[in-house]
Amino acid sequence: MASDKDKVVETVIAGSYVEMETEGKPAKDLKSRVSSFFWHGGSAYDAWFSCASNQVAQVLLTLPYSFSQLGMLSGIIFQLFYGILGSWTAYLISVLYLEYRTRKEREKADFRNHVIQWFEVLDGLLGKHWRNVGLAFNCTFLLFGSVIQLIACASNIYYINDNLDKRTWTYIFGACCATTVFIPSFHNYRIWSFLGLVMTTYTAWYLAIASLLHGQVEGVKHSGPTKMVLYFTGATNILYTFGGHAVTVEIMHAMWKPQKFKAIYLFATLYVLTLTLPSASAVYWAFGDLLLNHSNAFALLPRSPFRDMAVILMLIHQFITFGFACTPLYFVWEKAIGMHECKSMCKRAAARLPVVIPIWFLAIIFPFFGPINSTVGSLLVSFTVYIIPALAHIFTFKSAAARENAVEQPPRFVGRWAGTYTINVFIVVWVLLVGFGFGGWASMVNFVRQIDTFGLFTKCYQCPPQAAGAPRLPPPAFTPRLNATAFAPSPSYHHHH
């Protein structure tokens, strides 16, 4: 039980919310105005574009694969369910950020040259043990999130130019993605976030329309779900899809008025659902069980200028998303070596380079596009995005004084504090059992089978075999005999007529 003195202190530092920052002053000359318009963003619209464009990237191409594992009905239900859960935990993170920042600013803390991150929020509100756990999960998730983007780049470019194998493309794009070390902060993603959303929108509707125009392949089967392992692997890929808010705190910190963030993630998720549901449903309708052995939807669609455009746009978008996932890692590394408040961008960029090297290396070791998403979702996203924020909210506001003086009171439509507590407990139990438990088991079984089938450092994951000097094979046949398990086909399986 807290003493009267502790209660007084708590009341003083957790009072009503005070506006944190005033909106940026308008630029005077033309050059500054143009630079500000394209580059320097901190509005609610910028945050919405950042959330919506960052939430889906290469995962658009793996959701049809998840539908083939789950079946159409379960695929749709899980997208809606995890979309709601993801929006709720993003709201919890925003509440905890506002609580932390308000308390620190009342202690005269200055954040003009410091980017607040999730582990610092946990440290300030709950102590160093929470900070260490949050830092470990968040950094590992962002590390593998960056790895996935790099794998996706190599997987996609192969469908335009297969003169080089996917591993060689990974080397090339690893070098290209290293240029993200020069992006200062999330303030500078305005034009990239807008373009990223345009790119994912085009790709999603290309997948949907191209699949409908192609029609169902001969003898198409929609047998999913057939196995528990496949079912929970697909479910955790969708959990990963709507768990893209490991950078929520950094996006909020880049806002002029971070208190406006509360519903932004929900609106971003609603827009993303208009992209993911039609595209995944249409591709699964057209190709059915063939997707079990083609984790990238581009592999089944015939080559056309529209498909090439979608591939190119997704490559550019994956570069943007790589920067999104890597920038928080850069911040953590800068703070660890004492370079975070250095004003020279060149020195900071040089200091950031060691972060890119392990990402590059891991993408070459585990190039399993699709299965790696489910593994990361079950083992990392489940804690980083769902369990830790829900538990942190419960423990931050466990005392009556903390609830009474909270900067943000829970909304009435969820039942205030009692309703919020109930929802948080449900999320912790559900994600721990279904996401981490069953999902972790299924994803690891699937991942190990990829290693057994293709091996580590595989040169060209799920590529068709080609004899030396043989002509290029035509697009995939659409009536192969699926293997019995459909976990990971043997290399000789692909393009079997």
Side-chain angles (χ1 to χ4, degrees):
M1 185 174 177
S3 66
D4 292 340
K5 183 180 178 181
D6 291 335
K7 289 182 179 179
V8 170
V9 172
E10 189 170 24
T11 303
V12 169
I13 65 173
S16 300
Y17 180 76
V18 178
E19 187 169 308
M20 295 172 177
E21 285 188 53
T22 56
E23 205 156 332
K25 294 180 181 179
K28 294 180 180 179
D29 59 276
L30 180 62
K31 183 180 178 181
S32 298
R33 286 180 182 177
V34 171
S35 176
S36 178
F37 180 78
F38 285 108
W39 186 249
H40 190 75
S43 67
Y45 296 104
D46 289 306
W48 184 84
F49 281 122
S50 293
C51 290
S53 66
N54 187 47
Q55 195 173 115
V56 288
Q58 47 72 36
V59 79
L60 265 179
L61 309 176
T62 62
L63 283 174
Y65 167 64
S66 297
F67 269 49
S68 69
Q69 297 169 319
L70 288 164
M72 185 78 80
L73 180 61
S74 289
I76 293 170
I77 290 173
F78 270 116
Q79 280 203 38
L80 295 172
F81 177 68
Y82 282 126
I84 293 169
L85 253 61
S87 299
W88 175 257
T89 52
Y91 164 74
L92 297 180
I93 291 170
S94 72
V95 168
L96 293 170
Y97 167 84
L98 295 177
E99 188 75 27
Y100 168 77
R101 184 163 174 179
T102 303
R103 293 186 187 187
K104 294 299 288 184
E105 291 196 342
R106 294 207 171 151
E107 296 171 0
K108 307 301 181 185
D110 185 358
F111 295 112
R112 280 177 293 186
N113 293 316
H114 183 93
V115 177
I116 297 173
Q117 294 187 269
W118 176 229
F119 72 91
E120 293 170 313
V121 173
L122 292 173
D123 188 18
L125 296 177
L126 294 166
K128 66 177 182 179
H129 296 302
W130 282 82
R131 177 201 65 197
N132 294 339
V133 172
L135 184 62
F137 274 107
N138 212 40
C139 287
T140 310
F141 167 47
L142 290 169
L143 180 76
F144 277 96
S146 304
V147 169
I148 288 169
Q149 300 309 319
L150 202 48
I151 294 170
C153 285
S155 179
N156 289 344
I157 191 65
Y158 184 80
Y159 296 112
I160 287 183
N161 185 339
D162 58 1
N163 292 319
L164 300 176
D165 59 78
K166 291 181 181 179
R167 188 170 67 193
T168 304
W169 281 119
T170 304
Y171 292 137
I172 294 168
F173 278 100
C176 294
C177 289
T179 60
T180 57
V181 297
F182 290 99
I183 298 173
S185 73
F186 284 97
H187 271 300
N188 310 111
Y189 271 96
R190 168 174 280 182
I191 188 66
W192 300 117
S193 295
F194 173 76
L195 291 175
L197 195 59
V198 172
M199 294 167 189
T200 52
T201 301
Y202 172 87
T203 303
W205 286 109
Y206 158 74
L207 291 173
I209 294 168
S211 299
L212 293 173
L213 292 177
H214 181 279
Q216 290 186 313
V217 297
E218 185 181 349
V220 66
K221 292 183 179 179
H222 300 89
S223 56
T226 55
K227 294 179 181 293
M228 287 272 286
V229 171
L230 291 175
Y231 189 82
F232 286 107
T233 301
T236 50
N237 187 39
I238 295 179
L239 178 139
Y240 169 81
T241 304
F242 295 97
H245 43 286
V247 294
T248 300
V249 170
E250 288 85 356
I251 292 172
M252 284 188 72
H253 190 81
M255 294 177 70
W256 293 314
K257 298 178 180 177
Q259 73 272 30
K260 290 185 176 182
F261 184 86
K262 286 180 289 184
I264 284 174
Y265 199 88
L266 174 62
F267 292 132
T269 299
L270 293 175
Y271 179 78
V272 164
L273 286 169
T274 69
L275 305 180
T276 57
L277 288 172
S279 61
S281 301
V283 177
Y284 179 54
W285 169 82
F287 300 105
D289 289 353
L290 292 179
L291 287 158
L292 287 168
N293 294 311
H294 295 85
S295 51
N296 189 330
F298 283 147
L300 290 172
L301 288 163
R303 178 123 188 220
S304 70
F306 295 106
R307 194 191 78 161
D308 288 353
M309 177 61 75
V311 172
I312 292 167
L313 291 179
M314 288 308 289
L315 284 171
I316 301 170
H317 187 274
Q318 274 140 15
F319 173 80
I320 297 168
T321 310
F322 182 93
F324 247 97
C326 239
T327 301
L329 289 176
Y330 295 151
F331 293 156
V332 173
W333 178 247
E334 287 171 358
K335 290 170 185 176
I337 63 174
M339 290 286 289
H340 185 58
E341 297 187 7
C342 175
K343 294 185 179 180
S344 170
M345 194 58 234
C346 290
K347 289 181 180 178
R348 288 176 64 191
R352 290 172 170 187
L353 279 173
V355 177
V356 181
I357 294 169
I359 294 169
W360 206 352
F361 189 63
L362 287 167
I364 295 165
I365 300 176
F366 305 115
F368 310 128
F369 185 68
I372 195 171
N373 292 21
S374 301
T375 307
V376 170
S378 60
L379 302 182
L380 299 172
V381 174
S382 55
F383 282 92
T384 302
V385 171
Y386 297 95
I387 295 172
I388 292 176
L391 286 176
H393 192 272
I394 290 171
F395 282 95
T396 298
F397 299 107
K398 66 180 180 179
S399 70
R403 293 192 295 272
E404 183 182 347
N405 297 295
V407 171
E408 290 285 346
Q409 294 290 327
R412 185 177 299 172
F413 68 86
V414 301
R416 294 294 187 190
W417 289 106
T420 300
Y421 183 86
T422 304
I423 294 170
N424 290 348
V425 170
F426 169 77
I427 289 173
V428 171
V429 173
W430 174 274
V431 176
L432 196 61
L433 291 177
V434 178
F436 177 72
F438 288 106
W441 161 73
S443 299
M444 287 305 296
V445 168
N446 193 21
F447 195 78
V448 169
R449 294 197 182 192
Q450 305 298 314
I451 296 173
D452 290 342
T453 304
F454 295 98
L456 300 176
F457 297 98
T458 184
K459 197 169 185 180
C460 207
Y461 176 65
Q462 288 189 338
C463 295
Q466 293 179 358
R472 298 288 174 193
L473 292 176
F478 296 119
T479 55
R481 178 176 58 83
L482 286 173
N483 59 29
T485 62
F487 285 111
S490 64
S492 62
Y493 154 81
H494 294 287
H495 292 249
H496 172 65
H497 292 261

